[in-house]
Amino acid sequence: FFFFKQKTAYEISACLVGSEMCIRDSPNMYCFQGLCTPIQKIGQKCAARDACGRAGYCRYLTAQSEYGICTKYLSLDEDEQVGFLISNRMIIPDDVEKMCRSLFVNAQGKCSLGQTSTNKGQACKNDEECPLENKKTSATTNSTSADKNMYAQCKCGHTVGAKKFCDIADSDENWLEASKAFIEYYENTLDCHVGAGWSECGKKDQFRKWKCAQTKAKNYVALLENPDCLRNMYKNHFVFADYYRYCDEAVEKYSYILKQSFTMTPVSYTHLRAHETGRNLVCRLLLEKKK
């Protein structure tokens, strides 16, 4: 390995390690092909997902585009195309919906106001009993129209008797609340490094509020009609893991006690060195070089 222009570029074997270096030493850099590279501004060309930093997304106009354009999050209006049609299949990249003001992309790969579930929370036997309505905007008003070919899911709840309920859709109140909480968290964490992704990055209360709202929306049916046994289910059932983690105020105390109960015995530095992998060696060498 060789080093040159430290704080500008690092030659490394894995971008995961490089990202840590960029975060530590270069807040205006991102890791691209193992090198710390300057973050692009909105409107500039980009060639990687993280190239636009925390402010935006590298948007490719077609699946054949060699370069994308840094596009600001929450800036695209209804009907803007963000997905790609490849071999008659619509491909919608991860997080692309965050470019849309509505935070929703429809099945055609376009920013959309989404749909509402007409019979949300009502008992059902099949999906056909859970019709959806499309939300549309005009110059003066919002409106909805029934979609006869689309249905919300009729899902099993965690209830006595295994009842099934109509789930919510993307524009129902629960998801709108989650979207509002995300926007609040995002706008208050613009100074976070792009390498942090959408994990917690300061603003702990706002992060928990967003994740809690998101969890409630995702598990809408699972949270129906089970108040008596819910508390115990949270602790043991994988479906409720995120709810117990983000929505219950007792979580932090419980997690702390649990963490203390399973604290591992410290391992000596010599022991770690004896089992050092090639990738960890790179990281250690970089850190020692920095000193």
Side-chain angles (χ1 to χ4, degrees):
F1 294 93
F2 56 93
F3 301 87
F4 58 96
K5 293 186 179 180
Q6 196 167 4
K7 275 197 167 186
T8 301
Y10 299 98
E11 187 67 22
I12 58 174
S13 64
C15 204
L16 179 60
V17 178
S19 182
E20 293 298 324
M21 298 295 112
C22 298
I23 291 173
R24 187 190 66 183
D25 291 340
S26 311
N28 296 316
M29 301 273 192
Y30 74 102
C31 185
F32 181 59
Q33 296 181 347
L35 301 176
C36 284
T37 307
I39 287 174
Q40 304 299 301
K41 296 180 179 179
I42 299 299
Q44 291 184 326
K45 286 184 178 180
C46 52
R49 177 172 172 172
D50 290 345
C52 310
R54 188 77 166 182
Y57 191 95
C58 188
R59 180 190 182 192
Y60 291 85
L61 298 181
T62 70
Q64 292 75 36
S65 298
E66 184 177 359
Y67 295 99
I69 300 295
C70 283
T71 303
K72 189 176 180 180
Y73 284 124
L74 302 169
S75 66
L76 300 184
D77 293 320
E78 187 179 0
D79 291 330
E80 288 273 8
Q81 188 72 41
V82 292
F84 310 113
L85 191 63
I86 302 176
S87 299
N88 295 320
R89 237 181 111 194
M90 180 56 62
I91 306 299
I92 301 175
D94 290 342
D95 286 336
V96 73
E97 76 282 352
K98 291 181 174 62
M99 288 190 292
C100 305
R101 296 184 194 278
S102 63
L103 288 173
F104 177 71
V105 176
N106 63 22
Q108 290 73 47
K110 294 182 178 181
C111 292
S112 168
L113 293 181
Q115 299 166 312
T116 56
S117 177
T118 305
N119 297 329
K120 63 181 180 181
Q122 295 185 24
C124 58
K125 294 180 180 179
N126 51 56
D127 291 354
E128 285 72 20
E129 295 182 7
C130 307
L132 292 174
E133 287 186 339
N134 291 315
K135 289 190 70 175
K136 285 288 183 183
T137 58
S138 65
T140 58
T141 184
N142 292 341
S143 63
T144 61
S145 61
D147 191 332
K148 297 180 180 179
N149 300 313
M150 297 291 289
Y151 306 94
Q153 284 187 294
C154 179
K155 298 171 67 174
C156 289
H158 290 266
T159 62
V160 176
K163 289 176 64 176
K164 299 176 74 174
F165 303 92
C166 290
D167 200 2
I168 56 174
D170 303 86
S171 285
D172 279 312
E173 183 179 352
N174 306 68
W175 276 115
L176 293 179
E177 184 180 335
S179 296
K180 183 180 178 180
F182 167 75
I183 293 172
E184 181 182 357
Y185 173 69
Y186 168 66
E187 291 180 343
N188 283 280
T189 56
L190 289 173
D191 56 342
C192 289
H193 195 281
V194 65
W198 300 113
S199 58
E200 184 180 338
C201 179
K203 305 297 180 182
K204 184 176 181 178
D205 289 342
Q206 291 178 351
F207 176 76
R208 283 173 59 88
K209 179 180 177 182
W210 163 44
K211 297 301 289 185
C212 177
Q214 183 185 63
T215 299
K216 286 181 178 179
K218 282 183 178 180
N219 297 295
Y220 173 77
V221 169
L223 295 170
L224 291 174
E225 294 190 15
N226 54 4
D228 295 334
C229 61
L230 200 56
R231 181 72 56 175
N232 290 329
M233 291 174 67
Y234 289 159
K235 297 180 181 179
N236 303 297
H237 201 294
F238 71 94
V239 170
F240 301 104
D242 282 345
Y243 186 98
Y244 191 73
R245 181 179 179 186
Y246 298 117
C247 302
D248 194 324
E249 292 300 325
V251 171
E252 291 190 8
K253 294 180 181 178
Y254 177 79
S255 298
Y256 175 78
I257 294 171
L258 196 63
K259 190 181 294 183
Q260 294 301 309
S261 300
F262 291 94
T263 302
M264 293 184 291
T265 304
V267 179
S268 69
Y269 179 64
T270 305
H271 178 79
L272 290 175
R273 288 284 296 276
H275 294 82
E276 193 167 48
T277 64
R279 186 171 296 183
N280 291 335
L281 176 62
V282 173
C283 189
R284 180 173 61 78
L285 288 173
L286 288 170
L287 292 172
E288 289 181 356
K289 178 72 175 178
K290 179 68 179 174
K291 293 177 182 179

